[in-house]
Amino acid sequence: MLHAPILAHRRLVPDDAPLELAVVIPTRNEAGNVAALLTALEAALGDIVWEAIFVDDDSPDGTADVIREIGRTNIRVRVLQRIGRKGLASAVVEGMLATAAPVLAVIDADHQHDETLLPRLYAAVRMGGHDVAVGSRYIEGGGVGQWEARRHAGSRWATALAQRLLGRSKMDGPMIGDPMSGYFAISRDAFREVLPNLSSVGFKILLDILASAPRPLNVVELPYVFRNRTVGESKLDLMVAFEYLELLLDKTLGRLLPLRLMLFAVVGGLGLAVHLAVLGIALGTGLTAFATAQALAVGAAMTFNFTLNNVFTYRDRRLRGLRLVTGLLSFYGVCLVGAAANVGVGALVYDAQHVWWLAGVAGAVIGAVWNFAASSVVTWRR
């Protein structure tokens, strides 16, 4: 306690050179890129007073340890190592919250973003009065480098979906050409405005920011050409595409229903298709009575639902090893209670209204809500 007043007044920079820019760098298995990126940032940022905040999702290749070793002799380098949490968007948010800089920038660690553009992005926000400055691949002067045609087409399709989501109500000016960019700078004031509404889902944090803004943001785009990765492996896979669609779903319907409940319902719909398929196949053989076939179908559908929910709906709580077995058994128990609730509520509604489809829907809704609520607490508890 005796040292607190002294430390509170100690400065690490001269009075005329306060911290101006924080460069947030999310990482996952980027140990081979860290040193070269910092060298490139040093050369690009010149006299700007900046710091680098790496947010590492517990990389198995020791990325966090590499950064710590550099940070021992470079005071502007810090690392947040996250245990049990993953995702680029949430990593960026945590990194931005960990700095006092008035301008916050995001750049990938893999050298695919042109770091020489960073001073212009910073200046557009700090001196130019823009809320957000975006490194854009899809305006004149920008490009995607040597992407194959399929990746380019997929990116353009995803960009078109993002533009439809944003419309013009979210833009203070023309429609943004590259809302899917992962390379941008934002003022702290604008970030604080959007923070309560962020979904922090998936990889597209810029789209999340633009779609979450309570007012039209003043956005400027500056062109750059996307580079090819030279060290490490790309993180693009089917899960990235799923998380992008998940973000769109949350931003369009998230105010009406929780995103996890929507995903649980989608899985349930697919499970119904599995149920009917197994039931039809079992009855088609002519070797199984209806009751037996129905039991097989119920078991198959529950197992299917559990598997998909474990991979997608509850991927942040994904069960592995022995917990996968105990989780499946608990899910069976939850669903059996849900089935009983479905039948009981349906019967009560039918007795009161004598409308079969209303009774069926009421029972299904109650059963689904029970399954979601109970499995969240019992099967995929935190």
Side-chain angles (χ1 to χ4, degrees):
M1 294 299 294
L2 294 176
H3 299 291
I6 299 174
L7 292 176
H9 292 88
R10 182 183 177 191
R11 295 183 62 84
L12 296 178
V13 295
D15 288 344
D16 60 348
L19 178 65
E20 292 290 343
L21 172 67
V23 184
V24 178
I25 309 161
T27 58
R28 173 73 176 173
N29 292 333
E30 299 287 358
N33 284 314
V34 170
L37 175 64
L38 286 171
T39 299
L41 290 176
E42 291 272 4
L45 291 173
D47 295 333
I48 299 171
V49 182
W50 60 280
E51 66 176 349
I53 301 178
F54 291 86
V55 186
D56 183 68
D57 284 355
D58 198 24
S59 298
D61 72 345
T63 299
D65 291 331
V66 171
I67 300 166
R68 287 192 187 94
E69 188 62 29
I70 295 173
R72 293 181 64 193
T73 56
N74 188 341
I75 198 170
R76 64 166 40 123
V77 176
R78 293 193 285 142
V79 60
L80 305 178
Q81 184 176 2
R82 306 199 303 172
I83 308 297
R85 304 193 305 286
K86 294 181 180 179
L88 185 144
S90 59
V92 168
V93 170
E94 290 190 33
M96 289 182 172
L97 289 172
T99 179
V103 179
L104 313 166
V106 181
I107 192 170
D108 284 352
D110 55 16
H111 302 282
Q112 294 184 107
H113 295 155
D114 182 0
E115 71 285 341
T116 63
L117 181 65
L118 198 49
R120 293 177 60 201
L121 295 176
Y122 162 77
V125 174
R126 189 62 170 159
M127 282 75 80
H130 298 284
D131 295 311
V132 184
V134 179
S136 179
R137 301 160 295 178
Y138 296 134
I139 62 173
E140 185 176 354
V144 295
Q146 301 176 6
W147 278 8
E148 61 181 23
R150 183 172 61 178
R151 182 179 179 185
H152 193 190
S155 176
R156 296 297 290 183
W157 175 79
T159 298
L161 280 180
Q163 289 172 330
R164 289 184 63 86
L165 168 65
L166 294 173
R168 293 194 177 275
S169 62
K170 294 291 185 180
M171 298 293 102
D172 183 11
M175 173 63 66
I176 183 172
D178 195 0
M180 303 285 287
S181 177
Y183 186 24
F184 63 94
I186 183 172
S187 71
R188 171 164 295 283
D189 289 342
F191 173 66
R192 289 177 64 180
E193 285 184 58
V194 304
L195 184 59
N197 300 325
L198 289 177
S199 300
S200 299
V201 172
F203 282 65
K204 302 307 176 185
I205 181 60
L206 176 61
L207 176 59
D208 195 359
I209 287 172
L210 297 177
S212 302
R215 61 173 175 85
L217 295 177
N218 186 339
V219 180
V220 64
E221 292 186 89
L222 302 175
Y224 83 103
V225 177
F226 198 80
R227 300 167 177 164
N228 289 332
R229 172 188 279 272
T230 57
V231 178
E233 297 181 355
S234 173
K235 309 302 188 299
L236 291 176
D237 56 21
L238 288 177
M239 186 59 73
V240 172
F242 169 78
E243 289 180 341
Y244 173 60
L245 295 176
E246 188 178 34
L247 175 61
L248 294 181
L249 186 64
D250 188 42
K251 289 305 176 188
T252 52
L253 300 176
R255 295 178 182 177
L256 302 176
L257 292 171
L259 178 60
R260 207 187 294 270
L261 175 58
M262 288 189 279
L263 294 176
F264 194 89
V266 170
V267 170
L270 296 174
L272 176 59
V274 170
H275 178 104
L276 295 176
V278 172
L279 180 60
I281 292 171
L283 291 176
T285 64
L287 302 175
T288 307
F290 179 84
T292 303
Q294 180 76 331
L296 289 173
V298 168
M302 287 193 298
T303 305
F304 173 86
N305 287 3
F306 171 81
T307 302
L308 258 64
N309 280 318
N310 193 52
V311 172
F312 295 105
T313 310
Y314 295 95
R315 63 187 178 280
D316 58 326
R317 311 180 195 176
R318 187 175 299 178
L319 305 177
R320 293 180 172 87
L322 181 60
R323 290 192 62 206
L324 190 67
V325 177
T326 58
L328 177 59
L329 294 176
S330 70
F331 188 72
Y332 286 159
V334 165
C335 290
L336 289 174
V337 174
N342 185 332
V343 173
V345 170
L348 288 174
V349 173
Y350 185 76
D351 288 342
Q353 301 292 331
H354 296 288
V355 180
W356 66 268
W357 62 266
L358 180 62
V361 169
V365 169
I366 293 299
V369 171
W370 161 262
N371 288 345
F372 171 71
S375 63
S376 294
V377 174
V378 176
T379 304
W380 287 285
R381 62 186 180 276
R382 287 191 179 278

